[in-house]
Structure formats: C-alpha cells, structure tokens
Amino acid sequence: MKLWGGRFKTEEDSFMDKFNSSFNIDQRLWEQDIKGSIAHVSMLSKCHILSSDEAEKIIKALEQIHAEILDGSLFLEGEFEDIHSFLEYQVTQKAGAVGKKMHTARSRNDQVALDMKLYVKLSGQEVIKSLEKLISAIEQKSNESSFPMPGYTHLQRAQIVTFKYHLMAYYEMLSRDMKRIENALSIMDTCPLGSCALAGTTYPIDREFTAAMLEFEAVQKNTMDSVSDRDYIIEMISAFSIIMMHLSRLSEEFIIFSTKEFDFIALSDAYSTGSSIMPQKKNPDSLELVRGKTGRLYGNLMGILTTMKALPLTYNKDMQEDKQYYFESLDTVIDCITIIEGVVSTLTVKSENMEKATKGGFLNATELADYLVKQGIAFRDAHSIVGQVVKHCEAKAMEIDQLSLEELKAFSPHIKEDVYSYIEPSSILKQGTKPDML
Ligand code: ARG
C-alpha cells in the first residue's frame, strides 16, 4: 500500500521499491508512532477538525493494533515503505474508511521527526540507567581498592597512586558522560508535530496540546527547522562515542594490567575466552571487543555528520539513514556498558603485585625533591639533585631508599635520617592532596 500513488503514471521499479523502504529498520518505532498518532488524532478532535466519533474509532484501532503487536498476533511484516505506511494501513483495515482521515494536518516528515525524538528520549534514559549501574560497580570495586600502585604517564612509572583512585578517574569520566546525555535530552525536548511537511498547515491545529500530551517541554516553533533537525541524533551519537572512548581506555588498561608482564588484575573466566590451539590461553576478548566496537561508534558519528552536511532545507530522503546510525550506536553502547560493568564487578585485583611494583621505578623521586624544597632548596635545583640521585641508583641497580644516608648526603647535605620515612609509599599517601586517593 502506497501513501502517494495519485500523481504517478507508472509503477515504481520493484528494486527501487525495496531500495526506498525503511520498514525493516524503522519498525522499531512502532510504539512511538502509535503514541504520536493517538495524540495527533486527539488534538484533531479537540480542534473540531475530526468529529469525536471519528477520532474515537481511529484511536480504538490504534490501541487494538498496539495490543496485537504486543501479544504477537500482529506481525511487523509485509511490503511496506515504512512503519508509518504499515500502521496507517492497519488502522484503515480495522477502523474502515475513517482511518484515511488520520493523516489530516500531518506529514510523514513531522511524524518521523516526532517518532525519533520520542525514541531518543526513551532510549537516552536507558543509557543513563546502564551508566548508573556501571558507575556504582566502579565505586564498589574502588571502595575495596585502597592500596598503592604505580601511577603512569607515557605508560612509564611516574608516582604512587592507589588503585581506588585510578578507578575513580573512570567514575568521574562516566559521570560527565551521563550529564552530556541529560544535556542533549534537555536541548532536544521540543515537539515537531504540527510542522507537517515543512510549512505548517492552514488548519487551526493546537500544537501546544500535542506537545503537552506527549510530554515535551515545548513546541519546536520553526516548522522548517523541526522537520530537518537531526542535531539531537548527532549529539546522542557523539555522547555515546565519548562513552566508548572512555570504555576503550579502561579496556586497554585492563588488557595491559592483565598481562603476565604487569599481572595486576585477572579477568573473571566469565568475561574471557580461550584459544583453539593453545590450551593455556585465557584472552580478554570482552575488553578487546569493547575497544574494537569503539570504531563502529566513531564511524556512525562521522556517517551521520556527513549525511547531514550541506543538506538543503527541509526534509530530504538522505535523512532516512539516521535511524540505522542511531539504533546501531544505541545497541552497541548499551552492550558495551553492560559488559564493562560485568568485567569490573567480577575483577580480581592483585593488590600485592601492585604494591610490589611501587617499590621499583623511582616512584618517590618527586617526593625526594619535595623533601629538599622543604629544607629551603629551590624546586628546580632539587629536581636536578634528585636527577643525579636517580642516575647514581640506575648505575648501581638500586632504589633511592636503598641508598645509605652517607650516599644520599653526598648529593645534598640537607638530606637527613627522616628522609626515609618521608619518601615511604604509605607516608607519601598521607601528605598534601594525597589522602584523597585513600
Ligand atoms: N521513512 C521516512 C524517513 O525515515 C519517513 C519520512 C518520509 N518522508 C518523505 N517525504 N518521503 O525519513
């Protein structure tokens, strides 16, 4: 069933028909489309554009279709151009000719914009919920992880931190990600319905009524903007991409930390897989897949940005591509958040190995410089003195705290016996801003 056959002389090419159809993708919007149609028809009746009897028949049919799709007696299938054509056909089947009045003062352009906004608002909340679970798993794991480990810059040992603090960095990243989604959801909270194709309508419709019924904050005023706006999809995929960037950094670190070379953590068997040839292998596939799927999100973000680039106002069929980008991005980001939540909450942390690693690599060199500064030496001079201490230690294959007081004094007479306790990992963590890490 076509919604637009009237002005055509010949049939659509059958391959073109398939090429044009988005039904296999946008059928995911069925519930939003029904909800939007009920609001639209209620408004038409309230504004006396449809009689209340007509509106009632259409709404009853829509509700029946909703129930039948839910209980599995009506399948989302058939040769339809899109979900809008499918539902209009079903309404007309059920309500009779009055069903053909449903599309009064509406276009698929404002209809699809509405459906997508409703879907994005709902699914945005789902992403927030899964982020909340991940964030609390991270918080829980970090509460058990108040022990020292090396902190890195350039992936070289730098200074002492705690594993708790390391994990809490991800807590902060993901909390920002949540705010980014909330912000995108609040910017997009305007209702496009009533824009019709692009230029509104000569009918005396009530756009405030539908906006309120569909729980939008406001009406999206400029009708040309509202049918061509896909900013909110771009913003959401962008926020999802940033989440994936964060998850991929966590994945990469956990992959590195779980190598024999580091041996700081062990993934649960539940999130690892084996090798078909090497019997001993336990591979961090969960993390590798999250790292890998990040590319998919970036691709989708670049894809939708490129689709929208230079599109003239208002609706163009190019925009039909938006759904595939969004649905794929949404499913991937939720899957990845869920997997990382599982990895984090089942993670074994080898605190002894982390602590052992803090003993090598001169993690306390900065604190020795701080010690000298406290004795009145300028920081730049202290830096240079400690640099020489480190050079000496490297030649002797020793750590700073293994040098005798005499050896240390040779570099600076200001160094006294109390230096050892000052540069001791547990005492470092008690000074200045550092107790935050415990
Ligand atoms: N399937 C279309 C889409 O997703 C619906 C809007 C069609 N509008 C049109 N003027 N052909 O974008």
Side-chain angles (χ1 to χ4, degrees):
M1 190 210 60
K2 288 263 179 300
L3 298 175
W4 40 261
R7 59 102 62 225
F8 287 82
K9 294 197 194 97
T10 52
E11 286 263 300
E12 195 183 8
D13 173 84
S14 65
F15 183 62
M16 170 57 196
D17 196 36
K18 272 207 186 87
F19 183 68
N20 186 42
S21 170
S22 55
F23 187 43
N24 63 333
I25 303 213
D26 61 25
Q27 55 177 255
R28 234 171 123 157
L29 299 171
W30 70 271
E31 213 159 6
Q32 287 66 34
D33 203 75
I34 291 178
K35 201 172 162 190
S37 291
I38 291 176
H40 177 64
V41 171
S42 308
M43 182 278 291
L44 291 179
S45 148
K46 185 228 163 215
C47 297
H48 308 293
I49 298 164
L50 289 186
S51 74
S52 55
D53 182 52
E54 288 170 325
E56 219 169 275
K57 283 195 179 113
I58 297 173
I59 291 172
K60 219 179 112 202
L62 284 164
E63 285 169 351
Q64 202 180 332
I65 292 164
H66 186 269
E68 284 178 14
I69 295 175
L70 273 189
D71 73 21
S73 55
L74 178 61
F75 293 105
L76 291 158
E77 62 182 19
E79 311 263 293
F80 293 94
E81 188 178 324
D82 48 32
I83 185 65
H84 325 296
S85 322
F86 171 84
L87 287 170
E88 189 169 318
Y89 173 80
Q90 299 300 338
V91 168
T92 311
Q93 288 292 103
K94 291 208 153 53
V98 69
K100 293 197 267 182
K101 294 191 172 188
M102 180 169 72
H103 211 53
T104 313
R106 186 174 69 170
S107 156
R108 276 183 299 167
N109 296 352
D110 58 346
Q111 187 177 359
V112 77
L114 170 73
D115 292 359
M116 268 311 271
K117 277 200 164 180
L118 289 173
Y119 195 91
V120 168
K121 282 174 73 170
L122 192 76
S123 53
Q125 294 303 334
E126 264 177 64
V127 178
I128 289 177
K129 262 186 235 140
S130 55
L131 273 178
E132 272 167 355
K133 279 203 219 149
L134 171 57
I135 285 173
S136 82
I138 289 177
E139 193 176 21
Q140 204 171 324
K141 187 53 76 182
S142 59
N143 283 340
E144 307 158 7
S145 305
S146 256
F147 37 79
M149 72 175 285
Y152 297 84
T153 65
H154 312 268
L155 208 54
Q156 304 289 323
R157 287 189 191 171
Q159 288 188 282
I160 288 165
V161 296
T162 61
F163 190 52
K164 171 185 181 148
Y165 203 58
H166 192 118
L167 285 177
M168 286 306 277
Y170 286 97
Y171 178 100
E172 306 233 331
M173 292 175 225
L174 296 164
S175 306
R176 286 198 297 277
D177 291 338
M178 224 152 74
K179 285 197 199 140
R180 247 183 289 277
I181 293 177
E182 281 161 3
N183 189 45
L185 291 176
S186 106
I187 294 176
M188 64 162 280
D189 202 7
T190 53
C191 184
L193 206 58
S195 300
C196 301
L198 71 158
T201 173
T202 50
Y203 284 102
I205 60 170
D206 184 346
R207 296 193 64 199
E208 305 284 342
F209 178 93
T210 36
M213 189 167 169
L214 293 165
E215 291 171 52
F216 281 94
E217 173 93 18
V219 164
Q220 190 163 6
K221 289 220 177 69
N222 187 302
T223 59
M224 293 179 76
D225 173 46
S226 70
V227 292
S228 50
D229 169 22
R230 296 294 182 271
D231 298 4
Y232 59 100
I233 298 179
I234 297 174
E235 273 207 281
M236 291 297 273
I237 299 179
S238 158
F240 297 168
S241 298
I242 297 175
I243 296 174
M244 291 300 294
M245 179 268 290
H246 289 148
L247 298 184
S248 78
R249 294 183 73 175
L250 182 141
S251 297
E252 171 77 355
E253 289 199 322
F254 280 14
I255 289 167
I256 294 173
F257 288 172
S258 68
T259 57
K260 198 80 220 139
E261 285 69 16
F262 271 76
D263 206 18
F264 284 176
I265 57 172
L267 250 59
S268 156
D269 285 359
Y271 292 94
S272 311
T273 59
S275 157
S276 60
I277 173 169
M278 298 167 283
Q280 87 286 10
K281 286 303 289 289
K282 181 174 142 183
N283 296 324
D285 292 30
S286 49
L287 299 168
E288 289 168 338
L289 279 169
V290 170
R291 191 175 60 182
K293 284 176 192 291
T294 305
R296 213 172 255 283
L297 264 283
Y298 291 8
N300 288 349
L301 177 60
M302 214 31 75
I304 178 101
L305 279 169
T306 311
T307 297
M308 293 306 293
K309 176 187 176 293
L311 275 191
L313 295 180
T314 52
Y315 179 83
N316 300 272
K317 199 57 173 269
D318 316 44
M319 289 153 73
Q320 176 165 283
E321 297 294 314
D322 63 352
K323 288 160 216 68
Q324 204 164 348
Y325 286 127
Y326 184 74
F327 295 148
E328 216 230 8
S329 305
L330 172 72
D331 295 343
T332 307
V333 79
I334 291 186
D335 286 355
C336 292
I337 293 171
T338 310
I339 284 291
I340 295 293
E341 187 215 325
V343 168
V344 169
S345 46
T346 57
L347 193 71
T348 303
V349 185
K350 303 185 175 177
S351 58
E352 280 155 35
N353 291 350
M354 286 188 180
E355 213 162 339
K356 204 159 82 200
T358 63
K359 305 279 190 276
F362 314 111
L363 291 166
N364 49 8
T366 310
E367 281 70 32
L368 177 58
D370 290 345
Y371 174 89
L372 290 170
V373 169
K374 285 208 172 152
Q375 319 299 315
I377 296 175
F379 181 77
R380 194 51 58 217
D381 295 331
H383 187 287
S384 160
I385 292 167
V386 179
Q388 287 161 42
V389 174
V390 167
K391 194 164 43 176
H392 174 80
C393 286
E394 268 189 337
K396 297 185 73 181
M398 288 173 94
E399 287 299 312
I400 297 173
D401 39 86
Q402 291 171 331
L403 298 180
S404 68
L405 189 58
E406 286 67 51
E407 273 176 295
L408 282 169
K409 272 187 185 292
F411 292 95
S412 166
H414 294 280
I415 300 179
K416 314 232 162 58
E417 185 62 42
D418 63 351
V419 72
Y420 295 104
S421 64
Y422 192 88
I423 63 171
E424 202 334 84
S426 61
S427 91
I428 288 173
L429 288 172
K430 290 196 188 98
Q431 301 172 53
T433 65
K434 306 212 185 241
D436 280 358
M437 296 196 276
L438 290 168

